Amino acid sequence: MKTYKRVSTIKKYLASHRRKKQTIGFIPTMGALHEGHVSLAKASIEENDITVVSVFVNPTQFNQTEDLKKYPRNLEKDAAILKEAGVDYLFAPSVNQVYPLSKKTGPKLDIDHLTFSMEGPNRPGHFEGVVQVVHRLVKITNPDLIYMGQKDFQQFTIIQYMLTHLKMRTRLRVCPIIREENGLAMSSRNQRLSKKIKTEASIIYNNLVAAKKALKSKKPDAIERKAMKDLKTGVFDPEYFEIVDGYTFKKITNPNRHKLIVACTAVWAKKVRLIDNMILKGEHLLYPKKKK
Ligand code: PAF
């Protein structure tokens, strides 16, 4: 595996692969890699000739400076994980490489219709920052496929919208959530949880499973209210638990009228904010399919 920090260098190497008609899969990350990221890399390796992973803690998507400061960083460890997984290139640029002074803004893209709920109002400016950085990284790496995890449901939906709306050639694949044995969704933020809280955090998964079962017999808003109550334990404090249409993020009243239904939640575990979701009905169209 080769590691590059400069935009011009990674562009040069990837262009040489493209000239040989090799396909490129790309996984954008902010590092602190775990099995969830490895599953994305493996999906790309299976489906493409060349796999590139970026590790870049993007300052424009953090709405709290404290969160940005505390974000775990360990490039050496990340590089070892990616090498072991069989990744070809690690792109680890500095802030100046991704945001040179001459290029400040993101693409012109109105995402209000996808950010009006859940993560949107709770993290103002977050998705604008995500769009800005993923747009830049896709322009730099110009991949055939980009891989993202289902855990960030709103994020991948917005990136899919960006790719379609801006008529970019890159296609998106979404890979399933990878969970700890107790059901906790893997996340870089889990590193900040105590052992006890990590064990108790199964409460989030359990509530999602309960919501899936309950959707057959109970009204969505009653399920949401119960989950909000159950998740408020003193240690855990839910920000939202919403059952929405998986494409529009609008609240649902009658499940029969929707093909894809997802329950999304954000829960504070002391000072750590955890997000998770579960598809309650239907199947998403963006899961990996093709083999090399
Ligand atoms: O999901 C993440 O880790 C980040 O939001 C992403 C997509 C790498 C953009 O910085």
Side-chain angles (χ1 to χ4, degrees), residues 12-173:
K12 187 176 88 188
Y13 283 99
L14 295 181
S16 76
H17 289 294
R18 238 172 270 111
R19 275 195 300 275
K20 288 186 227 153
K21 302 270 180 271
Q22 289 177 306
T23 57
I24 297 170
F26 172 57
I27 299 107
T29 82
M30 296 207 298
L33 304 178
H34 49 71
E35 279 176 50
H37 297 111
V38 172
S39 74
L40 300 178
K42 294 240 158 101
S44 168
I45 290 165
E46 232 181 273
E47 211 176 0
N48 300 280
D49 299 310
I50 298 293
T51 292
V52 189
V53 176
S54 65
V55 169
F56 177 65
V57 182
N58 173 37
T60 71
Q61 70 186 76
F62 285 83
N63 52 326
Q64 283 179 358
T65 9
E66 200 55 17
D67 200 18
L68 173 61
K69 259 201 245 156
K70 283 199 181 141
Y71 205 85
R73 294 164 168 89
N74 190 339
L75 190 61
E76 239 175 71
K77 194 171 162 208
D78 289 342
I81 292 173
L82 296 174
K83 192 172 169 198
E84 165 80 25
V87 166
D88 301 288
Y89 293 100
L90 162 59
F91 178 47
S94 65
V95 173
N96 288 342
Q97 282 289 309
V98 178
Y99 297 116
L101 285 177
S102 54
K103 262 176 114 203
K104 272 220 146 106
T105 53
K108 258 200 167 26
L109 188 73
D110 185 351
I111 53 171
D112 289 357
H113 64 293
L114 295 172
T115 60
F116 64 91
S117 67
M118 303 188 293
E119 291 300 285
N122 285 298
R123 303 182 71 187
H126 167 69
F127 286 123
E128 284 73 10
V130 171
V131 165
Q132 183 184 33
V133 76
V134 176
H135 184 255
R136 280 176 195 223
L137 292 170
V138 167
K139 284 277 182 197
I140 293 166
T141 53
N142 189 11
D144 297 277
L145 282 157
I146 179 173
Y147 294 78
M148 302 185 98
Q150 187 202 308
K151 189 171 86 66
D152 296 287
F153 205 98
Q154 230 172 330
Q155 169 170 279
F156 83 67
T157 306
I158 289 167
I159 295 305
Q160 171 64 44
Y161 178 72
M162 176 191 87
L163 295 170
T164 316
H165 197 77
L166 300 180
K167 300 188 170 57
M168 297 174 91
R169 66 180 277 276
T170 303
R171 299 277 162 268
L172 172 66
R173 288 268 190 269

Side-chain angles (χ1 to χ4, degrees), residues 203-239:
I203 190 170
I204 303 172
Y205 175 70
N206 294 342
N207 267 279
L208 289 166
V209 173
K212 187 167 182 158
K213 260 198 204 149
L215 194 68
K216 293 185 187 101
S217 56
K218 295 205 172 78
K219 290 220 161 93
D221 59 344
I223 302 171
E224 290 174 350
R225 277 199 304 276
K226 180 169 179 341
M228 287 297 280
K229 198 164 149 245
D230 287 357
L231 285 164
K232 201 168 172 67
T233 65
V235 174
F236 296 98
D237 191 10
E239 213 166 67

